[in-house]
Amino acid sequence: MIFAKYKDQVEELLSRYPVKRSALLPLLYIAQKEEGYVSESAMKEIGKILGLTPPQVYETVTFYTMFHLKPIGKFHLQVCRSLMCALVGSDDLVGWIHRRLGISPGQTTNDKMFTLSAVECLGSCGTGPMMQVNDDYFEQLNEEKVGRILDDLKTHGTCPLKSGPFMFPEPVR
Amino acid sequence: MKILLKNMEQPGYTGSLKEYEQTGGYQALRRVVGGMEPNDLIDMVKASGLRGRGGAGFPTGVKWGFIPKDHPGPRYLCCNADESEPGTFKDRQLMERDPHQVLEGIGISCYAIGAQIAYIYIRGEFRLGFQILEKAIQEARQAGYVGKNVLGSGVTIDIYVHAGAGAYICGEETALLESLEGKRGKPRTKPPFPATHGLYQKPTVVNNVETLANLPHIVNRGAEWFSSIGSPPKSTGTRIFCLSGHIKKPGNYEVPMGTTFRELIDEHGGGMRSEKPLKAFIPGGASAPFLTPDHLDVKMDFEDVAKAGSMLGSGGVTVMEEGTSMVWAALRLMEFFNHESCGKCTPCREGSSWIVQILQRIRAGRGRMQDLETLSTICGNIGGRTVCAFGDAEIAPVLSTLQHWRHEYEALIREAEAAHPPKSEIPVLSL
């Protein structure tokens, strides 16, 4: 049972909406955070909490690309491949990652550390090429930066190059 | 002329409640809940000429006016923070750098339509923006700007942030509502419109982040002031344009509506990134047809861009330099649309994948001249034949590149035909 320890949080979430089903996406996020993916048992449990059938949960999960139905690597590298990033080198970025880790989009490293995906627009078109790693954005990437990010993630689990509150161009000081 | 980005451009400004209040923040909300008639507020926004900044450009005050006055409620406001249109990255900045400006706008909009609950539907990838907004709402709640009794007025305005989970279509207002209800994000057939049957089938207004951020300034400085900026009477105020692509200084630039593309690109964006001249640009996000260097002197207002054969859309301006393959560019965008089609309407679901296959074939050197006719026919069978505007959007890159750069398609196909002459004529089914 995933949600037993999140009882308060679930209750608070349910209080936000007049209809329980609205809490479906928020609960799926909790489940995914807990297990790394959305498991079948988590979907059943969510169904019970919200009064939905398992297929109702499943049909919703499968619509959204951010939910994974299978375990993925510890760090999910999502490279934006849409036109705006492609114009400034997102295909090169995929190549740099491939050179360092030996994986192509859709693949996971053998040590289960990294999964690489080529995804559509992440809303960071002025600061491409860019990628999202789990919750963090990394922007204006070049080969050197990518190397550092991958090294940092491997050794420290995080990297200081991640973006803060976004403003671009930064105001002139 | 900076309105929306003015605060955040101050050195050291972090967007905290205290700093926002010091710049005059929440005075507008105080004024409206302190006794302004909702109708007067709606009239004021109508008079300001403010039009939606999400893409469609619908007049905000008119949208509010559609909410039935005699409905027992509840009514809802949804702030569209899905920001999923490729080329657009302004709402992210507004939310992460000056969240209270957006929250104050939400409060004003709620008051105008009589909504007690507002949901900010933010795209799932903007985790940082989500956290910043949650924190700002908490601050505002403690200060009495959000909650059961806003500033002692007896008015209730609750604001919640709700994260999407990676679906472009959820920026479409009825798909957003479906998603917020915990379902697959498929657009609804209209009518009925959200104004009468929106979230949970109750009267609902969906406003974009940038639209809402304008409201405190209109209340503070008046409709006349706002409508004097930009390109009145139809395109008033400023707009944040997002520059991307082969530009020297990409980024968000707030300029009065009616500024020319040339000024935006040359003066704000610093011109092209290299010696290569501009070949093409997209004036308003991926859904807007491509334009050519001949259109650089078009004014960036709703009417003029429409007259030039495109649309101002979401304000995402992407420039491409000489040497960029237009077939490749169209294919990249089509792959996006094919991936993001929700699958509800057959023409869009099937058509987008057919177009991708044909473009991939042309790029791979296996094109036929008849393909160009087929592309136009498929596009003709998508446009206007879908529940939402996605269908009209996805054909824009193909049709506009075919219109302006047909010779590039033909050259690729001629090369292919020269390399692999057809042994016999392959019959083409007419669609």
Side-chain angles (χ1 to χ4, degrees), chain A residues 1 6 33 47 55-56 72 74 78 112 118 133 152 173:
Chain A
M1 298 294 271
Y6 291 106
K33 186 139 204 210
Q56 283 176 314
I72 58 164
K74 187 176 171 198
Q78 303 185 72
K112 303 277 183 274
V133 182
D152 278 4
R173 293 276 147 87

Side-chain angles (χ1 to χ4, degrees), chain B residues 347-348 377-386 390-395 399:
Chain B
C348 168
T377 317
I378 296 172
C379 289
N381 280 319
I382 298 174
R385 285 174 160 83
T386 53
F390 188 104
D392 299 323
E394 71 181 346
I395 59 177
L399 288 183

Side-chain angles (χ1 to χ4, degrees), chain A residues 75-81 85 90 93-94 96-97 101 114-119 122 124 127-142 145-151 153 159 161-163, chain B residues 92:
Chain A
F75 300 106
H76 189 199
L77 313 175
Q78 303 185 72
V79 175
C80 172
R81 69 176 301 279
C85 274
S90 62
L93 173 53
V94 171
W96 299 329
I97 295 171
L101 301 176
F114 297 101
T115 296
L116 175 60
S117 302
V119 299
L122 293 175
S124 174
T127 42
M130 63 80 64
M131 65 174 170
Q132 182 173 14
V133 182
N134 298 353
D135 286 347
D136 300 319
Y137 273 35
F138 293 89
E139 298 167 75
Q140 291 181 296
L141 297 176
N142 53 41
K145 265 188 177 176
V146 170
R148 187 173 154 203
I149 292 164
L150 296 179
D151 288 346
L153 290 174
C159 175
L161 293 177
K162 68 182 181 192
S163 305
Chain B
R92 180 178 168 212

Side-chain angles (χ1 to χ4, degrees), chain B residues 178-189:
Chain B
E178 287 286 299
S179 179
L180 194 43
E181 291 183 8
K183 301 173 189 158
R184 293 170 75 87
K186 294 192 173 193
R188 298 175 183 167
T189 315

Side-chain angles (χ1 to χ4, degrees), chain A residues 10-159:
Chain A
V10 171
E11 246 164 58
E12 196 276 323
L13 278 170
L14 289 174
S15 76
R16 295 179 171 201
Y17 310 100
V19 175
K20 274 183 173 181
R21 185 169 178 160
S22 279
L24 180 48
L25 262 53
L27 293 189
L28 286 167
Y29 271 118
I30 295 177
Q32 179 154 294
K33 186 139 204 210
E34 186 67 23
E35 299 190 289
Y37 72 109
V38 182
S39 66
E40 214 176 294
S41 64
M43 284 188 263
K44 284 182 183 153
E45 207 182 327
I46 291 173
K48 277 209 188 99
I49 296 172
L50 301 179
L52 300 172
T53 61
Q56 283 176 314
V57 179
Y58 185 75
E59 69 161 11
T60 309
V61 176
T62 51
F63 187 80
Y64 298 96
T65 52
M66 284 177 68
F67 295 123
H68 314 296
L69 294 173
K70 285 187 193 137
I72 58 164
K74 187 176 171 198
F75 300 106
H76 189 199
L77 313 175
Q78 303 185 72
V79 175
C80 172
R81 69 176 301 279
S82 296
L83 176 66
M84 291 69 190
C85 274
L87 287 170
V88 291
S90 62
D91 293 357
D92 295 339
L93 173 53
V94 171
W96 299 329
I97 295 171
H98 182 266
R99 213 172 302 159
R100 306 269 313 194
L101 301 176
I103 49 171
S104 299
Q107 296 179 328
T108 301
T109 52
N110 288 333
D111 59 3
K112 303 277 183 274
M113 278 290 255
F114 297 101
T115 296
L116 175 60
S117 302
V119 299
E120 297 295 351
C121 190
L122 293 175
S124 174
C125 318
T127 42
M130 63 80 64
M131 65 174 170
Q132 182 173 14
V133 182
N134 298 353
D135 286 347
D136 300 319
Y137 273 35
F138 293 89
E139 298 167 75
Q140 291 181 296
L141 297 176
N142 53 41
E143 189 163 12
E144 192 198 328
K145 265 188 177 176
V146 170
R148 187 173 154 203
I149 292 164
L150 296 179
D151 288 346
D152 278 4
L153 290 174
K154 226 179 218 172
T155 45
H156 308 298
T158 179
C159 175

Side-chain angles (χ1 to χ4, degrees), chain B residues 161-241:
Chain B
V161 199
H162 185 99
Y168 167 76
I169 193 61
C170 292
E172 197 278 341
E173 62 175 5
T174 58
L176 184 153
L177 300 176
E178 287 286 299
S179 179
L180 194 43
E181 291 183 8
K183 301 173 189 158
R184 293 170 75 87
K186 294 192 173 193
R188 298 175 183 167
T189 315
K190 296 190 262 191
F193 290 93
T196 55
H197 297 75
L199 189 61
Y200 313 120
Q201 297 298 308
K202 303 292 182 198
T204 303
V205 161
V206 182
N207 284 149
N208 169 262
V209 171
E210 189 185 350
T211 313
L212 291 164
N214 271 296
L215 297 173
H217 305 284
I218 293 173
V219 171
N220 281 333
R221 300 165 83 168
E224 210 170 301
W225 163 79
F226 191 83
S227 64
S228 70
I229 302 164
S231 182
K234 296 249 173 115
S235 300
T236 58
T238 62
R239 189 133 192 215
I240 304 172
F241 289 96

